[in-house]
Amino acid sequence: MSHDAAEIPADPAPGSGPGLARIHPGRRRRHRLLALVLGAAVFVVDTFTDVTGAIAVLYVLVMLAASDTFSRRGLILLALACAGLAVLSFFIAHGEEADASAVVRCGISLAAIGITTVLLLRDQASKRSLVQANAALARSEKRYRSIFEQAPVSLWEQDFSEVRAMLAALRQQGVQDLAAHARAHPAFARDCVRRIRTVHVNDATAELLRLPSPAEALGPIERFLPADDPAPLAVLTAVADGSSQFEGRAKLAAADGQVLTVLLGIAFPDEADEFGRVVVAMVDVTQREQIQQTQLAVQAELARASRAATVGALSASIAHEINQPLGAVVMNAQTCLRWLGKDPPDVEAAVRAAERTVRDGRRAAEIVQRTRGQLVRDQRSDEAIDLRALIEETVALLETELSTHAATVVTQFAPSVPPIRADRVALQQVLINLMTNGLHAMAETQAAARELTVSVDGPGAPDAEVRVAIRDRGKGIPDEVQARLFEPFFTTKRGGMGMGLAICRSTIETYGGWLTARTHEQGGAVFEFALPADTAQAS
């Protein structure tokens, strides 16, 4: 909004001209004097000369000269005065001897005066409406500025016009996937950010950025954005896609060096020429994020301690229950050896001892199997599971992890994926474990390329398998690790227990499926598992 609009006076009083208050009194007097002189001159020429033209039409000049100095009522009175002078001049000059041409000329003059009056009245009404609209606009601008300046949240006005033109040019060149373009050109996102300029901020923004005054925040926004934050690329994608708004998390570097976490909200205008003033709102959630991170760390440590205690209790339970059959196996084996060591050997007694050894060995195996079943099979609640819904729910659960690792998830679903039958909680734990491993594997990957792809392929036949693949963009799986990846207690993570992948494979195999891992030909690791389709539900 220009400052001129703010200087427009309040609505004119009823009956006053739209511009009377703004015309200097001396100028108003000069205009009226000029109108008077013109009116007198026209009357004299029309009345006392032999000019045969429609001289009275020139009363229009009188009205035009004085239109800005009269109100609506005054303009009507002026028009009546001019018309009266034209009629008076007609009777003085022609009287009862007036011919048809004189009458026509008088009628033309009166029509011209009437038409000019109507047009001038309409012009006054238009000016009055324009003044009122500008005054209302000025009041609205003043209210907006008051709300903007006094808002307790950080508000920015930013110029996106240059970067929008740049993104539109890329679209015309055939670039449709902005994320892929950014991965192929690492400096692209930063170059775009340099083109976004801050034109105005409120006091809350200066306080958020630890700046002495709001003016210090004006200019390129690049200096306040950490280099590894994926949020700017997401904003650029929203601009390129023509979105009306954007919401998400972002990082902000304050003047004192502290990196803040903010909730970001942007409302994009509909018209291209309005991108010079885009309103951006930010809410500082750094403290809340820190509390959440502390809670997650405590939960992770408690979960690790719980797993360790569970493993210890399980080990003690298995050792207690298996001790007796193993002792019986050893005793029967020794007995068998003694019978065979006799001279001559008592083969029949040795066979009976060997049979008891087999029996006790099978009993030990059953104890192990039963304990495993208590952990995986007996405590589960199998149901038909829609993998699309489960994966989308899992991605939502990992929102904080994704934000912490500055990563994104891309999901790819086959057109028709039948449900599978499994325990929902156990299968979701498998997905969380595999996706979390993928996030950790991308810790050293460039922020713009941290993408986790989760794809689901439907079966080729009703009774075939449904496959789920989770691919990261990390370094892949080293050859020396590949063979031992699913071994219990084997881990490459510092402080890890090495049980996650082993439990994942055991869980998947419990439902009749399989789990494998490999290095993708384009880089990164791919964990893929398959489960039988639930044919009862599919049919």
Side-chain angles (χ1 to χ4, degrees):
M1 178 61 63
S2 65
H3 294 291
D4 295 340
E7 295 170 1
I8 295 177
D11 299 346
S16 65
L20 282 179
R22 297 199 301 269
I23 297 179
H24 192 275
R27 183 182 175 189
R28 184 164 60 247
R29 285 193 296 270
R30 287 194 297 272
H31 280 206
R32 290 183 176 180
L33 180 60
L34 176 61
L36 180 62
V37 172
L38 284 174
V42 171
F43 180 78
V44 170
V45 172
D46 190 27
T47 306
F48 302 107
T49 66
D50 295 333
V51 179
T52 58
I55 301 300
V57 172
L58 296 179
Y59 283 118
V60 170
L61 298 178
V62 176
M63 299 185 65
L64 292 175
S67 62
D68 287 340
T69 68
F70 286 101
S71 64
R72 177 183 177 86
R73 180 181 178 185
L75 191 60
I76 293 174
L77 292 175
L78 178 62
L80 292 174
C82 290
L85 289 174
V87 172
L88 178 61
S89 177
F90 173 78
F91 281 110
I92 293 174
H94 301 286
E96 296 179 357
E97 299 176 356
D99 55 12
S101 62
V103 174
V104 170
R105 290 195 298 272
C106 182
I108 291 174
S109 300
L110 294 176
I113 293 172
I115 293 172
T116 302
T117 302
V118 172
L119 293 177
L120 289 175
L121 290 174
R122 184 178 297 175
D123 179 63
Q124 278 194 355
S126 299
K127 288 180 179 178
R128 186 179 297 108
S129 298
L130 182 61
V131 169
Q132 292 173 349
N134 284 342
L137 194 59
R139 290 193 297 271
S140 176
E141 171 74 5
K142 186 176 180 180
R143 286 194 298 269
Y144 164 75
R145 285 296 166 196
S146 176
I147 294 172
F148 186 94
E149 297 296 341
Q150 298 176 15
V153 300
S154 171
L155 294 177
W156 310 54
E157 281 186 335
Q158 294 179 337
D159 184 355
F160 275 76
S161 54
E162 187 176 353
V163 74
R164 186 186 183 280
M166 179 179 177
L167 295 174
L170 278 178
R171 288 287 189 188
Q172 293 178 355
Q173 296 171 13
V175 176
Q176 300 298 325
D177 190 343
L178 204 61
H181 182 77
R183 288 194 295 270
H185 303 81
F188 166 75
R190 210 63 191 174
D191 185 37
C192 288
V193 169
R194 294 190 187 98
R195 300 170 188 268
I196 302 175
R197 301 184 63 83
T198 302
V199 296
H200 190 64
V201 299
N202 62 354
D203 292 336
T205 301
E207 183 179 352
L208 175 68
L209 296 175
R210 281 68 160 169
L211 295 173
S213 69
E216 299 291 330
L218 304 185
I221 195 176
E222 177 194 13
R223 54 200 167 119
F224 300 116
L225 299 179
D228 59 346
D229 186 18
L233 181 59
V235 173
L236 295 174
T237 303
V239 174
D241 293 341
S243 302
S244 60
Q245 61 183 7
F246 173 84
E247 295 179 355
R249 277 186 175 87
K251 298 293 184 182
L252 207 62
D256 59 2
Q258 182 182 3
V259 177
L260 309 173
T261 302
V262 297
L263 292 179
L264 185 65
I266 306 177
F268 295 111
D270 296 328
E271 302 297 331
D273 57 359
E274 296 179 357
F275 271 78
R277 292 257 182 179
V278 177
V279 178
V280 180
M282 298 183 187
V283 178
D284 185 9
V285 293
T286 306
Q287 187 174 5
R288 188 181 75 180
E289 290 286 316
Q290 290 173 345
I291 293 174
Q292 288 182 347
Q293 292 299 325
T294 302
Q295 290 176 341
L296 289 174
V298 172
Q299 290 174 359
E301 186 61 29
L302 288 174
R304 181 180 180 279
S306 177
R307 288 195 300 268
T310 301
V311 170
L314 177 62
S315 300
S317 175
I318 293 176
H320 175 76
E321 291 197 41
I322 210 171
N323 186 56
Q324 193 274 334
L326 286 181
V329 167
V330 172
M331 184 178 64
N332 287 323
Q334 292 174 341
T335 302
C336 180
L337 289 175
R338 284 199 304 271
W339 288 118
L340 291 175
K342 280 194 166 189
D343 188 18
D346 190 341
V347 177
E348 184 177 352
V351 169
R352 289 195 299 270
E355 290 173 347
R356 289 194 298 272
T357 302
V358 172
R359 181 200 62 193
D360 291 328
R362 287 175 176 172
R363 182 184 169 198
E366 289 172 357
I367 291 174
V368 173
Q369 186 65 26
R370 187 183 73 245
T371 306
R372 178 178 178 273
Q374 289 175 348
L375 293 175
V376 179
R377 185 180 301 273
D378 295 342
Q379 294 183 1
R380 78 187 194 213
S381 178
D382 291 355
E383 59 181 294
I385 298 175
D386 180 357
L387 278 174
R388 176 191 288 269
L390 184 64
I391 289 173
E392 290 175 347
E393 179 184 325
T394 305
V395 172
L397 290 175
L398 291 175
E399 180 183 359
T400 302
E401 282 279 338
L402 291 169
S403 177
T404 302
H405 290 85
T408 57
V409 174
V410 176
T411 55
Q412 300 172 349
F413 299 100
S416 178
V417 179
I420 55 95
R421 178 161 290 276
D423 181 80
R424 183 182 185 84
V425 175
L427 187 56
Q428 189 170 64
Q429 284 301 116
V430 172
L431 290 170
I432 290 175
N433 203 328
L434 296 179
M435 293 171 69
T436 303
N437 285 348
L439 294 176
H440 293 164
M442 296 188 291
E444 299 180 6
T445 304
Q446 186 180 10
R450 292 176 191 167
E451 183 179 279
L452 202 64
T453 303
V454 182
S455 58
V456 180
D457 292 328
D463 57 346
E465 297 170 324
V466 179
R467 296 191 178 191
V468 179
I470 299 174
R471 180 197 169 191
D472 60 55
R473 298 303 192 280
K475 296 180 179 180
I477 304 172
D479 294 338
E480 63 273 13
V481 173
Q482 180 77 47
R484 303 188 58 195
L485 199 58
F486 294 97
E487 289 184 9
F489 304 107
F490 174 77
T491 181
T492 57
K493 296 180 184 178
R494 183 177 180 181
M497 293 184 63
M499 292 295 295
L501 290 177
I503 294 174
C504 286
R505 171 174 275 186
S506 176
T507 302
I508 294 297
E509 289 177 350
T510 298
Y511 305 121
W514 49 262
L515 171 63
T516 62
R518 58 184 171 86
T519 298
H520 195 274
E521 55 271 14
Q522 296 180 357
V526 180
F527 284 83
E528 184 177 16
F529 66 84
L531 291 168
D534 188 359
T535 55
Q537 292 292 329
S539 60

